Amino acid sequence: MNEMIHVGLLSKEKCCGCTACYSICTRGAISMKRDEQGFSYPEIDENLCTQCGLCVRTCPSLSPKFYKSIKCFGAKHINKQEQLSSTSGGFAAALSDYVIGKGGVVYGVALDDVKYVRTVRINSRADLPKLKGSKYVQTDPCETFRQAGADLKYGLFVAYFGTSCNIDGLRHYLLCKNISTSNLVTIDLICHGVPSPQIFEDYIDYLSKRKPVNNFYFRTKAKGWGFGSKTFSPSVCYSDGENVCDKPITLAYQQLFFSNNCLRPHCYECPYAQMGRAADFTIADFWGISIFHPQYFDKDGVSLVLINSNNALNIFNNLQNIDSFETTTEIAYFKQENQRRPSQKNSAYEQFWKDYHQKGIEYILQHYTILNKYLLFKYYTKEKFNLLLNKICKKRI
């Protein structure tokens, strides 16, 4: 590490794309450039680089920091509409509303022009809905590390939502800039991995061939909540008002995500997919609640909330807009595979990318997803089997 001149020498497996190095460079020597898979990596202008070493010091991949959970909770928003319009139980919405109510700002992930996924700064309740819902794509942090730093220096209360690597990058950046984090609360996710932005953009372009797309929802609650990806029910809204939900064309992208063919190379070796976390709060769906806490199960969604710092615990205790109950670490992690290990690279990974580069997104969708007739038949056969199995289990109970 000490011999490294700059982060441009990092392998792709080591770089998480958080932009901490880009943000810290005062010389403008670092730019983020997409590679052939659509992921952004730092590119160094040797003519501008002074070899100061700041980019190395701020890189989270070279010295990741972890915090252990001190308490675990299940939680849901007390406002039913907020709960229903959230991916899980609405804890993120409750926390965001609390921060805005304190005169603070919230950084989270939003869709820009339907197909671009970016981290944005929100300073009003009216704009908070932009952050709602999961986005299964690697976000572009844009200038938000610098913006968050400026907000903290100004004395604002700041909440920053992101993946663990993104949050750790922000913390490294603020530390290198000697910016106090006393007014900062960070929230990371139990993350499966981040798919290529280019794949998603191409997918939206594919959907738009039929007619213009107005919005895309990676998850809805059309089938309720609580049974994992079987009830994610993704949907596309077209500009003429048509809404297509839970059909092969919308399930296709979900299948690409879970296939582990198009995640960032760093995700397959993710150091944060373990018992330690990078943020004050960690949030996820409370999978397994029907097994361990059936009295708290809610078909409209329940959030899993891991408290990783005293700062988070103090904020949690002051939230007035949630119903919550405490659980154990063992229960919280039971159904969270990516809390224990990274997602594994698909055996078809190399062929997938070869096909994508040579034949494009339409070929990928027709051969690697439910749009393939064989995979469609296999999918619905499995669905019918699961329904039958559930009926048998219910009768025995």
Side-chain angles (χ1 to χ4, degrees):
M1 186 198 309
N2 294 331
E3 297 177 354
M4 188 172 292
I5 299 172
H6 54 60
V7 293
L9 299 178
L10 278 177
S11 68
K12 288 186 175 181
E13 288 73 22
K14 291 293 183 183
C15 177
C16 65
C18 71
T19 73
C21 59
Y22 160 78
S23 301
I24 201 71
C25 184
T26 58
R27 302 285 298 178
I30 301 177
S31 56
M32 301 299 293
K33 301 290 186 183
R34 282 191 177 185
D35 71 349
E36 68 281 355
Q37 292 184 342
F39 295 109
S40 294
Y41 294 89
E43 186 174 281
I44 314 298
D45 185 335
E46 300 290 356
N47 295 319
L48 296 175
C49 179
T50 61
Q51 300 183 15
C52 66
L54 277 176
C55 60
V56 173
R57 283 170 52 198
T58 199
C59 177
S61 294
L62 296 177
S63 56
K65 292 180 171 59
F66 308 103
Y67 306 90
K68 288 189 176 180
S69 300
I70 55 179
K71 281 184 177 292
C72 305
F73 294 91
K76 62 182 181 180
H77 206 292
I78 61 174
N79 182 295
K80 180 59 71 172
Q81 186 53 45
E82 288 285 355
Q83 181 192 12
L84 281 168
S85 60
S86 299
T87 296
S88 51
F91 175 78
L95 178 58
S96 298
D97 185 72
Y98 173 82
V99 172
I100 295 293
K102 293 289 185 181
V105 295
V106 178
Y107 289 85
V109 179
L111 280 179
D112 180 12
D113 195 25
V114 185
K115 68 179 182 178
Y116 302 109
V117 179
R118 311 190 199 282
T119 301
V120 299
R121 179 183 185 272
I122 300 295
N123 62 4
S124 72
R125 284 191 170 102
D127 288 331
L128 284 177
K130 294 178 182 177
L131 308 183
K132 276 187 173 284
S134 298
K135 286 92 178 175
Y136 298 123
V137 188
Q138 179 156 41
T139 184
D140 178 358
C142 302
E143 300 290 328
T144 55
F145 283 14
R146 293 172 179 169
Q147 289 176 324
D151 286 335
L152 290 168
K153 288 173 72 174
Y154 190 70
L156 291 178
F157 186 15
V158 175
Y160 198 107
F161 289 79
T163 56
S164 298
C165 54
N166 197 223
I167 296 297
D168 204 8
L170 172 66
R171 286 192 173 277
H172 276 72
Y173 166 78
L174 296 172
L175 180 64
C176 282
K177 296 289 285 185
N178 294 313
I179 297 173
S180 172
T181 57
S182 60
N183 285 337
L184 173 70
V185 59
T186 54
I187 308 94
D188 68 5
L189 320 164
I190 298 179
C191 177
H192 181 83
V194 288
S196 163
Q198 187 62 59
I199 292 285
F200 179 66
E201 290 161 20
D202 286 353
Y203 170 69
I204 295 298
D205 286 341
Y206 173 80
L207 294 180
S208 300
K209 286 182 178 179
R210 182 170 175 243
K211 51 187 171 181
V213 173
N214 190 51
N215 212 337
F216 183 82
Y217 298 95
F218 295 81
R219 287 176 62 178
T220 69
K221 291 177 178 175
K223 287 184 177 179
W225 175 93
F227 303 97
S229 60
K230 297 182 183 68
T231 53
F232 276 14
S233 301
S235 71
V236 57
C237 295
Y238 288 99
S239 57
D240 63 358
E242 183 187 7
N243 181 46
V244 179
C245 180
D246 211 32
K247 299 296 182 183
I249 192 62
T250 59
L251 290 166
Y253 182 78
Q254 178 182 304
Q255 290 192 322
L256 288 181
F257 172 47
F258 284 116
S259 74
N260 296 347
N261 276 318
C262 56
L263 304 182
R264 189 179 182 95
H266 177 267
C267 297
Y268 303 114
E269 300 180 10
C270 178
Y272 306 97
Q274 46 103 354
M275 304 308 268
R277 306 304 305 170
D280 296 296
F281 286 101
T282 296
I283 57 176
D285 292 275
F286 199 145
W287 304 133
I289 186 174
S290 60
I291 301 171
F292 300 104
H293 298 293
Q295 70 274 31
Y296 294 115
F297 176 81
D298 189 324
K299 65 178 177 58
D300 295 328
V302 182
S303 298
L304 176 65
V305 183
L306 310 182
I307 308 291
N308 309 321
S309 71
N310 288 326
N311 178 35
L313 184 59
N314 289 334
I315 292 172
F316 187 86
N317 288 335
N318 282 310
L319 293 179
Q320 301 296 314
N321 48 1
I322 60 167
D323 286 328
S324 64
F325 61 92
E326 191 166 358
T327 188
T328 66
T329 303
E330 291 75 19
I331 289 174
Y333 293 168
F334 184 76
K335 287 282 189 177
Q336 301 291 347
E337 185 174 347
N338 287 112
Q339 182 70 7
R340 300 188 294 275
R341 65 183 70 86
S343 295
Q344 300 299 299
K345 186 183 290 186
N346 195 308
S347 59
Y349 177 87
E350 299 297 339
Q351 187 62 47
F352 173 91
W353 283 107
K354 182 179 179 181
D355 288 339
Y356 172 71
H357 290 134
Q358 292 180 353
K359 301 171 183 176
I361 191 66
E362 189 164 347
Y363 180 89
I364 289 298
L365 292 170
Q366 294 291 344
H367 288 77
Y368 289 88
T369 78
I370 198 171
L371 295 183
N372 177 287
K373 290 182 179 180
Y374 168 72
L375 295 178
L376 177 66
F377 174 77
K378 186 177 178 181
Y379 175 85
Y380 283 116
T381 300
K382 185 177 180 181
E383 284 289 288
K384 289 179 180 179
F385 174 78
N386 287 332
L387 286 172
L388 179 62
L389 188 62
N390 286 337
K391 287 181 180 179
I392 293 172
C393 291
K394 286 180 180 178
K395 286 181 179 180
R396 287 181 178 177
I397 292 172

